[in-house]
């Protein structure tokens, strides 16, 4: 599979305070990459840097940000914004804020996609109700129905190459979540979309992702195939995440809590104060990323093992 997105050494900061630090990542066409890590680890900031939608006061710096063969850092701000806007779909977390409350859902949908296949498409994702009730406004539909609708919209409106979904199923019950996941997989197969899927739920990762990126304190500490991450995690933080997850393949299991103070930092590895495997060097020197095949890990211990 060809590379669609290559991020090299990306930093994001808010008013000078780092939120994403030196992240390098590759996403291939048709691939679903799950992004996990505890709250505040920089997942949304990473997504925002890719879509180019950041709040005032935020700064982005990267050695490279290559999308479909074009170096985005060489484009003007406006060119970059337009390119991303047309090629990258974003599934927002809260559906109600993305639809106008004062206009029928079907009419809003037709603004974006008015093809003859619309009814068929909606039927396939269990949204016939939108066709059957053409005059109903958003508040007449359930949160799950609207969430699925927004995924269809994000994927179909502009036929993007990349779909970024930032925790799209956290507010949904298990049945609706399963429908949304099936829909995402179907769209990937049908449109060849690549997907960046942010979640707290490792069971979801196991279900739909090809690869996983694990973030800690703004760093991508490990990436690998789903198989690699679940069966032979290399980073102690990844191992702690999995260990904190009872019955890890049960649906609906979320990231557990891991011991130690999440805010404690050292001059070296950010995870060192909580790491059961830390040794002297870990508290003094930041580990550099070690590449193992297509995977990466940032850990002195793994470096010694390699
Ligand atoms: N608009 C903002 N202004 C200032 N700081 C921000 C802003 N957005 C995020 N941050 C900070 O940047 C860091 C990373 O936040 P981010 O939202 O990317 O984390 P996250 O991994 O998406 O967390 P969550 O799982 O809670 O959504 C945090 O320390 C957060 O407080
Ligand atoms: Mg977030």
């Amino acid at each position: 599979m060809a590379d669609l997105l290559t991020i090299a050494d990306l930093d994001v900061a808010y008013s000078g305070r780092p939120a994403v630090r030196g992240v390098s990542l590759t996403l291939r066409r048709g691939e679903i990459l799950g992004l996990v890590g505890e709250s505040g680890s920089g997942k949304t900031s990473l997504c925002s840097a890719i879509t180019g939608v950041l709040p005032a006061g935020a700064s982005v710096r990267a050695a490279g940000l290559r999308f479909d063969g074009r170096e985005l850092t060489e484009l003007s701000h406006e060119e970059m914004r337009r390119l991303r806007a047309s090629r990258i779909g974003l599934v927002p977390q809260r559906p109600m804020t993305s639809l106008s409350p004062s206009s029928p859902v079907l009419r809003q949908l037709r603004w974006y996609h008015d093809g003859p296949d619309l009814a068929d498409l909606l039927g396939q994702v269990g949204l016939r109700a939108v066709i059957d009730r053409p005059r109903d406004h958003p508040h007449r539909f359930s949160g799950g129905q609207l969430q699925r609708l927004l995924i269809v919209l994000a994927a179909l409106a502009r036929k993007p190459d990349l779909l970024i979904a930032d925790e799209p199923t956290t507010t949904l019950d298990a049945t609706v979540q399963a429908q949304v996941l099936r829909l995402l997989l179907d769209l990937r197969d049908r449109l060849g979309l690549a997907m960046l899927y942010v979640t707290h739920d490792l069971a979801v990762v196991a279900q739909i992702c090809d690869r996983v990126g694990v973030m800690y304190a703004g760093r991508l500490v490990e990436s690998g195939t789903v198989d690699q991450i679940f069966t032979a995690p290399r980073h102690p933080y990844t191992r702690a995440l999995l260990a904190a997850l009872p019955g890890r393949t049960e649906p609906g299991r979320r990231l557990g809590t891991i011991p130690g103070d999440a805010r404690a930092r050292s001059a070296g590895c950010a995870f060192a104060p909580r790491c059961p495997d830390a040794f002297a060097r870990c508290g003094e020197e930041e580990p550099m990323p070690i590449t193992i095949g297509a995977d990466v890990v940032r850990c002195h211990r793994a470096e010694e093992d390699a």
Side-chain angles (χ1 to χ4, degrees):
M1 278 188 285
D3 291 348
L4 178 66
L5 175 73
T6 309
I7 300 170
D9 206 9
L10 172 75
D11 292 331
V12 179
Y14 300 99
S15 312
R17 288 189 55 211
V20 172
R21 302 186 299 150
V23 167
S24 300
L25 195 64
T26 297
L27 194 60
R28 301 183 189 89
R29 285 185 187 282
E31 182 175 61
I32 303 184
L33 178 82
L35 200 58
V36 301
E38 56 200 8
S39 186
S41 57
K43 305 179 299 294
T44 295
S45 302
L46 176 61
C47 294
S48 304
I50 300 168
T51 55
V53 184
L54 281 137
S59 62
V60 179
R61 195 210 53 79
L65 207 52
R66 218 174 160 73
F67 182 77
D68 197 19
R70 290 177 81 178
E71 184 47 61
L72 298 188
T73 53
E74 285 166 10
L75 302 180
S76 76
H77 202 74
E78 181 54 27
E79 282 174 321
M80 206 147 78
R81 199 195 55 73
R82 239 181 301 137
L83 178 80
R84 284 161 164 162
S86 64
R87 307 279 304 273
I88 301 176
L90 182 70
V91 181
Q93 195 165 1
R94 280 165 314 184
M96 280 310 262
T97 59
S98 309
L99 290 167
S100 161
S102 56
S103 172
V105 167
L106 183 60
R107 190 188 303 159
Q108 297 188 54
L109 192 49
R110 289 205 193 283
W111 292 338
Y112 296 101
H113 186 86
D114 205 10
D117 56 340
L118 186 61
D120 186 39
L121 270 168
L122 289 171
Q124 283 178 37
V125 296
L127 286 174
R128 275 251 28 130
V130 174
I131 299 285
D132 296 341
R133 290 150 47 192
R135 276 181 298 277
D136 278 5
H137 291 208
H139 69 271
R140 303 289 297 269
F141 294 92
S142 74
Q145 286 175 316
L146 295 177
Q147 186 69 277
R148 272 177 287 156
L149 189 74
L150 286 183
I151 291 173
V152 172
L153 265 186
L156 295 182
R158 294 172 269 110
K159 301 242 187 326
D161 304 279
L162 171 63
L163 191 66
I164 297 181
D166 195 350
E167 307 205 55
T169 63
T170 29
T171 58
L172 307 178
D173 67 46
T175 315
V176 178
Q177 169 167 307
Q179 285 176 333
V180 169
L181 295 180
R182 265 199 304 278
L183 169 61
L184 288 172
L185 284 176
D186 179 57
L187 289 170
R188 189 268 299 267
D189 294 344
R190 202 139 36 114
L191 306 176
L193 284 176
M195 243 180 261
L196 186 62
Y197 191 96
V198 177
T199 181
H200 279 101
D201 191 336
L202 285 174
V204 169
V205 168
Q207 247 175 292
I208 71 161
C209 295
D210 304 300
R211 286 171 64 230
V212 191
V214 181
M215 291 193 69
Y216 189 84
R219 292 278 194 211
L220 184 75
V221 294
E222 178 167 11
S223 72
T225 62
V226 165
D227 199 42
Q228 156 76 36
I229 296 289
F230 276 80
T231 60
R234 293 186 173 99
H235 198 284
Y237 176 62
T238 313
R239 286 200 288 272
L241 281 183
L242 290 166
L245 190 77
R248 63 174 84 154
T249 51
E250 274 173 54
R253 289 288 181 191
R254 298 166 66 77
L255 297 188
T257 29
I258 61 172
D261 181 358
R263 284 159 307 173
R265 295 286 176 269
S266 76
C269 172
F271 188 58
R274 297 168 86 185
C275 184
D277 303 329
F279 57 107
R281 191 175 163 209
C282 303
E284 293 154 8
E285 190 191 319
E286 270 240 61
M288 296 304 288
I290 309 158
T291 309
I292 304 155
D295 301 334
V296 72
V297 61
R298 264 187 197 263
C299 175
H300 290 311
R301 217 27 114 177
E303 194 178 340
E304 294 198 336
D305 294 347

